[in-house]
């Protein structure tokens, strides 16, 4: 899966799945634009990309903010002149449900980053992806496909369901222009998502989440990265509008 001479934008590249995936693209020869809020973490990932002999551009942006989000594509074009793949990976969870009075706040918070920013970025990226016959990979979740086992995260699930339908609609619109749009839908992944989103004790949750999977195992970041790279590669040239579940059988239970 060579990405030689390709440029890839990875949002949420400062940790977890995004950081691992950015390095995997670099190992396959891509230069990478790294997007997130935390400059220090971005700089560390950029250093690791450069250690592989590839170019890295760290773009500090809060994707819940429209003006910040608008800078990502122009900065990438100014630096690299083109890009071939957009990985919309940045995501967050906000807690709130119908009976706790936090429903609307949780909905607004989660939709801004998980859906609105993806729509904005994909829209700004599309003219450039048409030039390179590139593609988009959106990182959704099993929460798109089933109600959450954690009721407090209902609006996370709502946001991923919206993201899933956006993936399919975008795939349909961009197909005549030769641009593919796909979705990767992980089950539980072993990384800092739980602590970053203050969802509770990571060790306790890890144990209960492993129990929710048929294989009794929690995926690692690079296992999700492998599916992302496959969908972004020419090997997946016949795949668009698809939902790729990688969940250790979470949906079976
Ligand atoms: N971990 C799981 O179990 C799991 C399961 C299914 C799906 N997913 C999805 O996988 C994707 C990646 O999450 P992860 O598991 O790798 O967790 P993570 O380590 O918490 O990574 C989330 C990334 O998104 C960035 N981000 C969050 N809010 C942002 C904002 N407003 N602006 C810019 N960047 C922002 C974070 O960077 P900064 O904080 O530096 O901004 C970080 O790089 C998410 O879409 C998540 O919903 C995760």
């Amino acid at each position: 899966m060579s990405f030689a001479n390709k440029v890839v934008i990875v949002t949420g590249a400062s940790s977890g799945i995004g950081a691992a995936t950015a390095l995997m693209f670099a190992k396959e020869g891509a230069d990478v634009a790294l997007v997130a809020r935390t400059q220090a973490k971005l700089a560390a990932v950029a250093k690791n990309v450069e250690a592989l002999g590839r170019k890295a551009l760290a773009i500090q942006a809060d994707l819940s903010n429209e003006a910040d989000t608008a800078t990502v594509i122009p900065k990438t074009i100014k630096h690299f002149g083109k890009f071939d793949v957009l990985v919309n990976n940045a995501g967050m969870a906000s807690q709130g449900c119908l009976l706790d009075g936090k429903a609307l706040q949780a909905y607004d918070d989660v939709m801004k980053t998980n859906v609105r920013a993806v729509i904005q970025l994909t829209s700004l990226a599309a003219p450039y992806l048409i030039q390179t016959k590139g593609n988009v990979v959106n990182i959704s979740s099993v929460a798109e496909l089933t109600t959450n086992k954690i009721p407090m995260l209902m609006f996370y699930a709502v946001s991923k369901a919206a993201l899933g339908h956006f993936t399919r609609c975008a795939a349909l619109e961009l197909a005549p222009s030769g641009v593919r749009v796909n979705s990767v839908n992980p089950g539980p992944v072993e990384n800092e998502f739980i602590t970053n989103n203050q969802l509770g004790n990571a060790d306790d949750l890890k144990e209960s989440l492993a129990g929710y999977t048929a294989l009794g195992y929690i995926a690692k970041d690079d296992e999700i990265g492998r599916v992302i790279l496959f969908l972004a590669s020419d090997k997946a040239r016949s795949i668009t509008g698809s939902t790729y579940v990688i969940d250790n059988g979470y949906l079976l239970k």
Side-chain angles (χ1 to χ4, degrees):
M1 264 189 303
S2 173
F3 286 90
N5 302 316
K6 304 280 188 196
V7 176
V8 180
I9 301 175
V10 181
T11 72
S14 63
S15 72
I17 296 167
T21 301
L23 285 183
M24 292 168 80
F25 274 116
K27 274 184 195 149
E28 297 296 334
D31 294 328
V32 195
L34 310 159
V35 185
R37 292 168 299 188
T38 316
Q39 183 67 47
K41 285 182 171 181
L42 278 179
V45 178
K47 212 172 153 189
N48 290 335
V49 167
E50 284 159 4
L52 293 165
R54 304 313 321 164
K55 293 189 187 116
L57 171 67
I59 302 175
Q60 185 181 22
D62 179 351
L63 297 177
S64 69
N65 175 299
E66 186 174 331
D68 260 24
T69 306
T71 66
V72 171
I73 303 299
K75 280 184 178 170
T76 304
I77 290 296
K78 190 171 174 206
H79 194 79
F80 291 118
K82 67 146 192 170
F83 59 92
D84 303 273
V85 179
L86 169 64
V87 182
N88 284 311
N89 164 74
M92 52 87 74
S94 57
Q95 299 197 47
C97 57
L98 300 177
L99 295 176
D100 71 356
K102 295 181 185 160
L104 283 180
Q105 191 58 56
Y107 174 85
D108 286 343
D109 287 349
V110 86
M111 291 299 280
K112 268 193 274 186
T113 303
N114 294 6
V115 184
R116 197 174 195 279
V118 173
I119 294 169
Q120 188 185 354
L121 273 180
T122 308
S123 174
L124 294 172
Y128 298 100
L129 290 171
I130 290 169
Q131 284 172 22
T132 54
K133 298 292 174 227
N135 67 83
V136 179
V137 182
N138 293 327
I139 312 310
S140 181
S141 164
V142 286
E144 172 189 332
L145 305 165
T146 180
T147 50
N148 248 310
K149 293 185 169 65
I150 307 169
M152 284 295 283
L153 294 181
M154 74 155 71
F155 295 105
Y156 176 73
V158 167
S159 75
K160 294 299 190 182
L163 179 62
H165 215 54
F166 172 70
T167 298
R168 291 179 280 279
C169 293
L172 184 65
E173 181 182 346
L174 297 178
S177 305
V179 174
R180 300 182 295 109
V181 186
N182 287 295
S183 173
V184 175
N185 294 52
V189 183
E190 190 175 338
N191 62 25
E192 290 171 10
F193 186 77
I194 288 169
T195 41
N196 286 345
N197 290 284
Q198 287 132 32
L199 300 181
N201 181 301
D203 290 335
D204 291 352
L205 258 171
K206 192 181 156 192
E207 216 161 279
S208 54
L209 288 172
Y212 290 146
T213 70
L215 293 176
Y217 174 72
I218 305 271
K220 304 272 191 295
D221 293 321
D222 63 336
E223 293 176 283
I224 312 303
R226 278 201 282 275
V227 182
I228 297 171
L229 262 72
F230 166 68
L231 287 173
S233 76
D234 286 343
K235 288 190 172 153
R237 68 178 172 217
S238 299
I239 302 173
T240 196
S242 280
T243 303
Y244 267 66
V245 172
I246 166 167
D247 71 342
N248 288 295
Y250 180 95
L251 290 178
L252 297 174
K253 288 190 87 176

